[in-house]
C-alpha cells in the first residue's frame, strides 16, 4: 500500500553541489540525527518532493481522500 510522508522544514542557502541534479538543503525542526532515525524507521524512500510554502494540510486531506496512510515527521 502507499504512504505519504508529510514533513515541514525551511530551505536554507548553501553552496551548489558539483552535480547536475536539482538539490536543496532543508532545516528541520528537530535534531537531524533524530529526524533521520524517524525517517529510516518508517521506511521512507530516499526521493522526496519539496514545495514552496506550507501545504501539509492539503496533502493530508488528499491522502485521507485517497485512503493513503499518512506518515508525519
Amino acid at each position: 500500500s502507499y504512504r505519504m510522508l508529510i514533513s515541514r522544514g525551511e530551505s536554507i542557502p548553501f553552496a551548489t553541489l558539483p552535480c547536475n541534479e536539482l538539490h536543496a538543503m532543508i532545516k528541520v525542526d528537530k535534531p537531524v540525527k533524530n529526524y533521520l532515525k524517524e525517517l529510516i524507521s518508517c521506511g521512507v524512500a530516499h526521493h522526496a518532493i519539496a514545495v514552496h510554502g506550507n501545504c501539509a494540510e492539503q496533502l493530508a486531506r488528499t491522502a485521507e481522500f485517497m485512503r493513503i496512510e499518512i506518515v508525519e515527521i
Side-chain angles (χ1 to χ4, degrees):
S1 70
Y2 291 100
R3 291 183 296 161
M4 181 184 292
L5 170 68
I6 299 176
S7 188
R8 294 169 184 84
E10 177 186 349
S11 176
I12 56 175
F14 69 104
T16 303
L17 298 175
C19 64
N20 292 326
E21 296 186 16
L22 183 62
H23 49 273
M25 187 73 66
I26 306 297
K27 179 182 176 188
V28 293
D29 294 334
K30 57 180 74 177
V32 173
K33 228 178 199 181
N34 297 353
Y35 183 85
L36 290 175
K37 281 181 184 178
E38 286 183 48
L39 197 63
I40 291 166
S41 72
C42 66
V44 174
H46 63 281
H47 294 284
I49 297 171
V51 298
H52 181 74
N54 184 355
C55 66
E57 202 173 298
Q58 294 91 329
L59 287 171
R61 281 196 307 245
T62 301
E64 288 170 4
F65 176 75
M66 297 176 73
R67 295 188 174 119
I68 295 173
E69 179 187 351
I70 298 168
V71 176
E72 247 183 293
I73 299 177

